[in-house]
Amino acid sequence: MSRVLVTGGAGFVGAHLVERLLLDGHEVICLDNFETGTRTALLHLREHPFLEIWRHDVRHPLPCQVDLIFHLACPASPAYYQQHPVLTLETCMLGTQHVLQLARDAKARVLLASTSEVYGDPLNHPQQESDWGHVNPIGPRSSYDEGKRAAEALARAYWQAHRVDVRIARLFNCYGPGMRPNDGRVISNLMVQALKGDALTLHGSGTHTRSFCYIKDVVEALVRLMQLDSVDADGLPAWVDPVNLGNPDEISILELAHRILAITGSPSVIQHLPSAVDDPKKRCPDISRAMTLLDWCPTVSLNEGLGWTRDWFRAQTMPQNVPPVYVDQEFKLYQQPTAPAARVAQDSSNPG
Ligand code: NAD
Ligand code: UDP
């Protein structure tokens, strides 16, 4: 058993990871400031004897003794981080520095959750880890893109200067049960709109592409990357360079909207909005490195994963029988059961 810190553990990816680490028998500290995550994400685990939930902001130093750190804390929805650029940059830079300092002091191993956004609007396709990226440093996405690039640079610097054992996972778009209905990312937006019978909002024509990886596949890859111990032919740790994690099954956003309409049986129409500024036109990971290093590849098809995600969002429209432990904005979702359609509407407008 290891003592594991998960920053951002109340977020979408974090909550799934915390659950997996507990199942694997670890002692887990979930650290989160609930900026975009919710307490309800871990409600089902609140009695677990090996889980501690700490409210803390990674922009401040982290006092604890741990063996492993999964550093996920950061707003990840473009709709959110574009509204909060300073907070996002500070979280990426100060937060990552505090995590790396803690790892140095505690001699802990770290995994940094980076992103495909380091490639920006990519010049090469599919994206390989060797690509340097094509990022607007002052555009609406720059707080996140440049923040994550700075976080990667910090991680590399702490390895070079202090030999901190830090692995960098470049996550491509993930999805699955547990996404917040009001998160703003495309799968949760379109799924909620389809289930409510509202128009599906596409930015521009919908010809731009993404590659979506089911959350369980992502978590498996993160766990394997953290466990990696091998060295390469030059005697360097195999984990020292970043690793793309995602599903190379690329799809246009228009096609995604049609799949969601089909899978939900929704009568909704598609509505084209103005294009989003600096929206990457295509995105698909080259996962050769992950396949070789981690003996991993995605196992869940988009149709299968969208079906499970639909079932989860549908279940959120049902009254939940959960005892009120926390009295906060998120928890009111469970205390006020309403008719299904009204219920999704209520969730979508909830800032929690
Ligand atoms: P999320 O917004 O659901 O979760 C992020 C969590 O971090 C939230 O619980 C939030 O409250 C917490 N947080 C934010 N700022 C914090 C701070 N200053 N101090 C403490 N906690 C803070 O996002 P997610 O989708 O779960 O993403 C998790 C990580 O994975 C992020 O680092 C993100 O950049 C990366 N990532 C995710 C995706 C994806 O598709 N989900 C893709 C690429 C990269
Ligand atoms: N998108 C869209 N409608 C929405 C939300 C997003 O058309 O309601 C598009 C967005 O412009 C982008 C893609 O879907 O091209 C993926 O967006 P998301 O915010 O999920 O993540 P990103 O990959 O841009 O970080």
Side-chain angles (χ1 to χ4, degrees):
M1 176 197 282
S2 297
R3 192 165 156 80
V4 189
L5 173 66
V6 181
T7 74
F12 166 55
V13 179
H16 283 273
L17 179 63
V18 165
E19 187 170 355
R20 164 67 187 268
L21 293 169
L22 290 170
L23 276 174
D24 288 351
H26 298 295
E27 193 180 327
V28 180
I29 300 169
C30 161
L31 185 149
D32 206 294
N33 70 350
F34 304 111
E35 187 68 38
T36 55
T38 61
R39 291 176 183 80
T40 48
L42 294 169
L43 205 55
H44 60 300
L45 297 170
R46 69 190 185 281
E47 305 288 0
H48 199 292
F50 294 142
L51 174 64
E52 293 171 48
I53 302 177
W54 294 1
R55 184 180 199 123
H56 184 82
D57 193 312
V58 293
R59 291 176 293 166
H60 302 289
L62 312 169
C64 58
Q65 185 64 44
V66 290
D67 307 309
L68 306 174
I69 307 169
F70 287 90
H71 178 37
L72 274 57
C74 182
S77 164
Y80 190 88
Y81 67 66
Q82 292 187 24
Q83 292 290 319
H84 301 89
V86 175
L87 179 149
T88 303
L89 271 165
E90 286 179 354
T91 298
C92 287
M93 298 193 303
L94 297 175
T96 302
Q97 186 169 10
H98 291 140
V99 163
L100 291 165
Q101 276 167 354
L102 168 64
R104 182 186 171 193
D105 296 344
K107 301 202 179 344
R109 179 179 287 189
V110 188
L111 185 149
L112 167 68
S114 184
T115 170
S116 52
E117 287 283 327
V118 298
Y119 302 118
D121 192 11
L123 299 174
N124 301 312
H125 198 70
Q127 289 78 61
Q128 296 181 326
E129 289 89 348
S130 53
D131 295 349
W132 287 6
H134 179 227
V135 174
N136 178 353
I138 54 165
R141 302 176 81 99
S142 65
S143 61
Y144 184 70
D145 298 12
E146 296 291 20
K148 287 288 185 179
R149 287 164 68 95
E152 286 199 10
L154 268 169
R156 190 58 168 229
Y158 268 75
W159 153 250
Q160 284 167 340
H162 305 302
R163 285 295 183 255
V164 169
D165 177 338
V166 50
R167 294 108 205 276
I168 301 173
R170 288 186 181 154
L171 302 184
F172 284 62
N173 299 61
C174 341
Y175 73 102
M179 299 186 89
R180 290 177 298 284
N182 58 342
D183 176 82
R185 279 175 275 186
V186 70
I187 288 195
S188 44
N189 268 12
L190 300 189
M191 197 60 90
V192 170
Q193 288 162 343
L195 289 173
K196 283 170 66 182
D198 288 350
L200 272 58
T201 52
L202 296 202
H203 302 158
S205 61
T207 52
H208 35 307
T209 69
R210 292 294 186 271
S211 308
F212 296 96
C213 192
Y214 191 67
I215 185 65
K216 295 287 181 212
D217 283 329
V218 176
V219 166
E220 180 63 36
L222 291 174
V223 168
R224 289 186 188 209
L225 181 56
M226 184 61 107
Q227 287 168 347
L228 188 65
D229 269 325
S230 54
V231 290
D232 67 16
D234 302 323
L236 277 175
W239 45 262
V240 86
D241 289 326
V243 183
N244 285 343
L245 299 181
N247 188 327
D249 183 11
E250 187 180 5
I251 184 173
S252 76
I253 300 302
L254 183 60
E255 169 63 14
L256 174 72
H258 283 295
R259 290 239 193 139
I260 288 178
L261 286 177
I263 224 158
T264 53
S266 170
S268 294
V269 296
I270 290 175
Q271 179 187 9
H272 292 273
L273 303 176
S275 300
V277 178
D278 289 351
D279 197 0
K281 288 185 262 318
K282 50 193 173 181
R283 189 182 288 157
C284 178
D286 179 328
I287 57 166
S288 321
R289 189 167 151 72
M291 289 170 73
T292 308
L293 274 185
L294 311 179
D295 189 22
W296 168 89
C297 69
T299 58
V300 177
S301 71
L302 185 59
N303 278 351
E304 199 175 16
L306 283 178
W308 294 333
T309 308
R310 170 207 57 205
D311 294 345
W312 186 83
F313 273 108
R314 271 204 184 129
Q316 303 316 296
T317 67
M318 304 293 286
Q320 306 281 308
N321 183 21
V322 182
V325 178
Y326 302 106
V327 179
D328 63 18
Q329 219 156 13
E330 300 97 42
F331 199 75
K332 284 178 193 151
L333 296 178
Y334 295 94
Q335 291 177 314
Q336 300 168 357
T338 54
R343 184 61 202 286
V344 175
Q346 177 191 333
D347 288 4
S348 316
S349 61
N350 189 304

